[in-house]
Amino acid sequence: MSAALIDGRAAADALRRQLAIHADFFRASTGRPAGLATVLVGEDPASAVYVRSKIKATEEAGMHGVHRPLPADTSEAELLALVVELNRDPGIDGILVQLPLPAQIDAARVIDSIDPGKDVDGFHVVNSGRLAIGDPTALVPCTPLGCLHLLKEQLGSLSGAEAVVIGRSNIVGKPMAALLLGESCTVTIAHSRTRDLAEVCRRADILVAAVGRPEMVRGDWIKPGATVIDVGINRVPGAEPGKSRIVGDVAFAEAREMAGAITPVPGGVGPMTIAMLLRNTLVAAHRRAGLALPKGL
Ligand code: NAD
């Protein structure tokens, strides 16, 4: 059997087209575009690429993107002052501080300083708490939200499914598990101390790998017909000397022979993350403006 490919690019494009319609509606209703502020401290090349694509996607969706770059030697106090300014700015609905931050800045303190209503990354403890208690007003981290969207498109109802999430980070693993629990899955969170990981994975109808280890999940760890979501982004040496390529946490070719459906890397979860950032910004904008959320947002 060869698994169906879950096309994250196509799903993200469709979602972004829909979000552009909601963004137009928001602008027409309020007289201003929804606004997303991105903050980048320093010049880490990977972070700069991520932020550039977030700004581009924001503008393409008909929203207002404000970019606030800061030098690498910015102090924590200076960054906190900028967050306070953005919290107060009525034209800004979402604030994204690109991680990682330089060593002199405590990332947790910065995240805690963001207005939870503008926390479009969903990392603030208020939003994590809301997600944990199943409060639908939580702003949820973009990557797991994107994974859930793909799963629901593929499977419809997830109720009663055995779900295994590998990874327990606050950014992916834990919120992913909370979302799956919210969909009435039976959820197991596996991690670096899990005994017999392969056996745990073999019982999963839904397997989400968010580890950061290239091709760790082998084909014989997959229950036949399972749906596999590969969050991992790992750079490995390419076929030609000096070249590299990106692989996921799942050994794709092997897993494809066992799974019912699987996300490729690249082109699976990755594109969904930015689409969900736009979605969270629009949700935050509607709430701040006191507008009901349109259907499908
Ligand atoms: P992290 O390093 O914070 O967490 C990794 C988790 O994997 C940990 O909880 C750890 O317990 C677990 N782990 C490590 N080794 C393990 C092992 N041998 N067996 C089982 N579990 C093990 O990473 P993260 O931020 O959660 O990201 C995970 C992966 O997802 C990375 O490859 C990252 O690049 C990728 N990622 C992708 C996107 C996207 O947009 N597609 C977004 C965020 C993260």
Side-chain angles (χ1 to χ4, degrees):
M1 183 171 72
S2 190
L5 269 193
I6 301 175
D7 186 344
R9 277 198 192 107
D13 284 350
L15 186 60
R16 283 166 60 168
R17 279 196 296 275
Q18 217 187 348
L19 292 172
I21 296 168
H22 294 315
D24 278 351
F25 170 81
F26 180 84
R27 188 198 285 258
S29 308
T30 62
R32 69 168 185 91
L36 172 66
T38 49
V39 180
L40 175 65
V41 185
E43 274 131 35
D44 175 59
S47 294
V49 169
Y50 286 140
V51 168
R52 256 201 309 277
S53 47
K54 287 168 185 174
I55 298 167
K56 185 164 168 270
T58 307
E59 304 277 348
E60 281 172 4
M63 297 190 238
H64 177 48
V66 176
H67 183 48
R68 301 294 295 264
L70 291 172
D73 62 355
T74 299
S75 69
E76 186 176 296
E78 285 167 326
L79 178 55
L80 290 172
L82 174 57
V83 172
V84 169
E85 181 195 321
L86 295 170
N87 281 342
R88 289 190 183 134
D89 186 334
I92 295 297
D93 301 290
I95 301 170
L96 180 143
V97 178
Q98 184 65 43
L99 302 178
L101 289 167
Q104 75 275 15
I105 299 177
D106 179 346
R109 207 170 289 154
V110 174
I111 291 166
D112 272 357
S113 72
I114 297 173
D115 175 348
K118 295 189 177 188
D119 168 41
V120 285
D121 255 340
F123 296 162
H124 193 287
V125 70
V126 165
N127 283 312
S128 324
R130 285 182 180 146
L131 174 62
I133 64 164
D135 176 345
T137 68
L139 285 168
V140 176
C142 302
T143 299
L145 201 55
C147 295
L148 185 70
H149 182 94
L150 294 177
L151 280 167
K152 285 168 93 169
E153 269 202 345
Q154 187 65 32
L155 297 171
S157 168
L158 312 184
S159 180
E162 283 278 350
V164 173
V165 179
I166 322 175
R168 56 176 160 182
S169 72
N170 292 333
I171 292 173
V172 190
K174 280 185 207 151
M176 185 75 246
L179 285 171
L180 291 166
L181 188 59
E183 297 296 323
S184 302
C185 295
T186 302
V187 184
T188 302
I189 306 178
H191 46 78
S192 52
R193 302 292 177 89
T194 296
R195 281 190 300 239
D196 204 350
L197 182 60
E199 202 49 46
V200 171
C201 291
R202 277 185 204 114
R203 58 173 195 249
D205 303 311
I206 294 170
L207 181 63
V208 182
V211 184
R213 287 179 178 252
E215 302 180 326
M216 184 187 82
V217 177
R218 309 311 307 184
D220 66 354
W221 297 20
I222 313 271
K223 178 176 173 177
T227 304
V228 178
I229 304 289
D230 190 351
V231 184
I233 300 176
N234 308 290
R235 192 169 285 281
V236 297
E240 290 168 43
K243 291 266 166 69
S244 64
R245 64 192 177 98
I246 301 287
V247 299
D249 291 341
V250 178
F252 180 80
E254 288 174 21
R256 199 173 180 190
E257 293 307 307
M258 297 297 282
I262 186 166
T263 56
V265 178
V269 173
M272 292 303 293
T273 298
I274 291 186
M276 287 303 173
L277 173 67
L278 305 178
R279 182 251 172 211
N280 279 353
T281 304
L282 270 176
V283 167
H286 279 78
R287 293 220 181 97
R288 294 187 61 252
L291 293 174
L293 291 189
K295 207 171 172 296
L297 192 62

